[in-house]
Amino acid sequence: MSHSCRFASGAGIVGLSTAFSLQQRGVQVTVVDRIGPAAGASWGNAGWLSPAFTIPLPEPALLKQGPRALLSPSSPVALAPSADPAVARFMAAFALNCTPHKWASSMRTYATLNAHIYDSFERQIAAGVRGELHAYDMTVGFASLHDATGILDELARVSAAGQQIDVTLLDPRSAREYEPHLTENVALALRLRGQRYLNPGAYVQALADAVIAGGGELRTGIDVTEVRRDGARARVIGTGIDELTDAAVLCSGAWLPRLASAHGVRIPLFAGRGYSCSVPIDTPLQGATYFPAARAAITPRPDGADGRPRIRVAGIMEFADPDKPLNPKRIRVTNDAVRPLLRGIDWSGIDEQWVGSRPLSADGLPLIGGTATPGVYVGGGHGMWGLTLGPLTGELLAEQITTGRTPALTAGLDPLR
């Protein structure tokens, strides 16, 4: 059966993965985007593929922090002051999901998805995406035993949900033998085995290249403002586009509600904005490093133009309008927290400062599947895990679009829930 499909803003990893998977099923695709591949949240994030930390973001610990912590300028989870009632509605719905029972239920859903993460990337690479994954053991560092109790409890709950975790507790000496960049301020660490990371911008560009090489069309400068049913087809309307298509897939990230609400998608979605920057380091890291107390994720990056090794320092979950400009203070908060814990970093060489808006659903679960409008589908709401779950999301959407059947893996992810 011949299909054509257009994306109403979506040249990030979710939209491109869906296009690529549809091509593998013989579908002619066109991807449209305001800017281009990896221009949004797919570019500057940490690039981790870490199933152990791919978990529901509405967690009971956030309620314990309280509003004061969220409004603190030094908090790793920040709420930008706003008079927008949409912010209040989202935060109220988010808070209702920060319960142990809800977290455990959502974690079981994530454990099922997480079992397929690596395979979904490997299938893309085997089918022609010229991307590269790096295997490593993650170092998780703590300044005190007290700081470690929360993450140890979290990992225990992740394991109880059925997800396999291979972790070893390291004393300070053993931790520094494995990762010499850790300072004496790291009192203990975990070594989390069997993880992966990638360069997100490079991988998403490789995915875009593969879509084009497969006969797909990538059109930039297209700002989609509406998708509606028009007879037996969907009509995609906006700046630079007014066309009919057999199926439209909405993968517009943090801007998803602007298009999806007209199609029965009512679950609150908001921008969880992540910040990052690149910094030179004297010698390469052994692998990705995580400091949970600071919510700071550090990932190796290719050498800079000066030939020096570099790292990407990512952190902060800021709830704010996706169109707000970068707030340099957020980057300083993360860097100040990392500074005492890692040696060998040239903090004077900070560049590539970035903010990206990640679409977070109020219940912490992605939205994957059809909407109330026949022929209109949604892939979004992944929060921090859009990169991690992008290829799998694309496979699931392509299966539903081409077969008309709802994949078993999408149980609990219905956009109309």
Side-chain angles (χ1 to χ4, degrees):
M1 181 178 180
S2 176
H3 296 264
S4 67
C5 186
R6 303 201 185 280
F7 295 91
S9 260
I13 192 165
V14 176
L16 288 168
S17 290
T18 308
F20 186 77
S21 294
L22 283 167
Q23 284 182 318
Q24 300 301 299
R25 291 172 171 264
V27 178
Q28 180 63 41
V29 298
T30 299
V31 181
V32 298
D33 196 273
R34 290 189 300 172
I35 304 174
S42 294
W43 184 83
N45 61 58
W48 289 5
L49 308 179
S50 180
F53 291 118
T54 304
I55 62 176
L57 293 180
E59 53 181 325
L62 289 179
L63 289 185
K64 295 178 181 179
Q65 293 180 358
R68 183 175 299 177
L70 291 176
L71 294 171
S72 168
S74 61
S75 172
V77 181
L79 174 62
S82 173
D84 186 349
V87 179
R89 286 196 297 270
F90 174 82
M91 294 307 298
F94 188 86
L96 289 174
N97 287 285
C98 292
T99 67
H101 174 75
K102 178 60 180 175
W103 190 94
S105 174
S106 297
M107 186 61 233
R108 287 191 292 272
T109 300
Y110 270 105
T112 302
L113 297 172
N114 291 346
H116 300 271
I117 288 173
Y118 295 157
D119 288 345
S120 65
F121 275 91
E122 289 167 3
R123 283 191 290 268
Q124 283 191 344
I125 293 171
V129 177
R130 295 184 177 179
E132 186 176 3
L133 305 186
H134 304 274
Y136 71 101
D137 292 347
M138 181 186 291
T139 303
V140 187
F142 309 93
S144 68
L145 179 60
H146 178 267
D147 286 347
T149 55
I151 202 71
L152 290 171
D153 174 67
E154 182 178 275
L155 289 174
R157 288 184 283 126
V158 169
S159 180
Q163 188 158 308
Q164 293 185 348
I165 298 175
D166 185 356
V167 62
T168 302
L169 186 63
L170 303 176
D171 60 38
R173 179 177 177 181
S174 298
R176 279 184 279 278
E177 285 177 352
Y178 176 68
E179 180 49 80
H181 289 90
L182 297 177
T183 72
E184 287 70 22
N185 293 318
V186 176
L188 76 161
L190 302 177
R191 185 173 177 180
L192 190 61
R193 293 178 172 82
Q195 308 303 296
R196 307 280 192 278
Y197 71 87
L198 51 75
N199 183 331
Y203 190 91
V204 175
Q205 184 60 59
L207 185 55
D209 293 342
V211 169
I212 294 169
E217 183 182 6
L218 174 59
R219 294 165 56 186
T220 59
I222 305 293
D223 187 7
V224 175
T225 56
E226 181 185 3
V227 176
R228 66 170 183 251
R229 190 72 174 171
D230 191 333
R233 308 182 79 192
R235 182 176 290 275
V236 180
I237 302 169
T239 305
I241 190 170
D242 185 348
E243 300 181 27
L244 290 170
T245 178
D246 292 336
V249 184
L250 312 182
C251 304
S252 48
W255 296 267
L256 181 62
R258 300 178 187 177
L259 296 174
S261 60
H263 304 285
V265 179
R266 298 287 183 261
I267 186 166
L269 292 157
F270 205 70
R273 290 164 31 111
Y275 284 80
S276 69
C277 66
S278 293
V279 201
I281 192 168
D282 56 1
T283 56
L285 285 177
Q286 292 298 310
T289 302
Y290 181 38
F291 297 112
R295 298 278 177 126
I298 295 93
T299 314
R301 280 291 190 267
D303 293 353
D306 57 4
R308 290 193 293 174
R310 302 185 73 77
I311 56 174
R312 193 81 188 162
V313 181
I316 297 288
M317 171 61 83
E318 179 191 51
F319 295 104
D321 187 287
D323 293 313
K324 285 189 66 174
L326 179 146
N327 181 351
K329 293 180 180 178
R330 302 297 191 203
I331 291 178
R332 286 198 294 271
V333 166
T334 301
N335 291 351
D336 288 346
V338 172
R339 218 178 278 261
L341 304 173
L342 277 185
R343 61 166 57 91
I345 300 176
D346 179 7
W347 293 104
S348 68
I350 293 173
D351 64 2
E352 296 182 317
Q353 297 187 71
W354 171 90
V355 62
S357 295
R358 301 164 296 197
L360 175 62
S361 68
D363 64 4
L365 291 171
L367 283 65
I368 303 173
T371 69
T373 304
V376 178
Y377 300 83
V378 164
H382 296 77
M384 296 167 63
W385 318 128
L387 180 75
T388 304
L389 295 171
L392 180 59
T393 297
E395 291 178 348
L396 295 171
L397 281 169
E399 179 182 346
Q400 184 171 359
I401 291 167
T402 57
T403 69
R405 297 189 297 269
T406 301
L409 281 179
T410 60
L413 307 180
D414 186 346
L416 303 180
R417 64 182 182 269

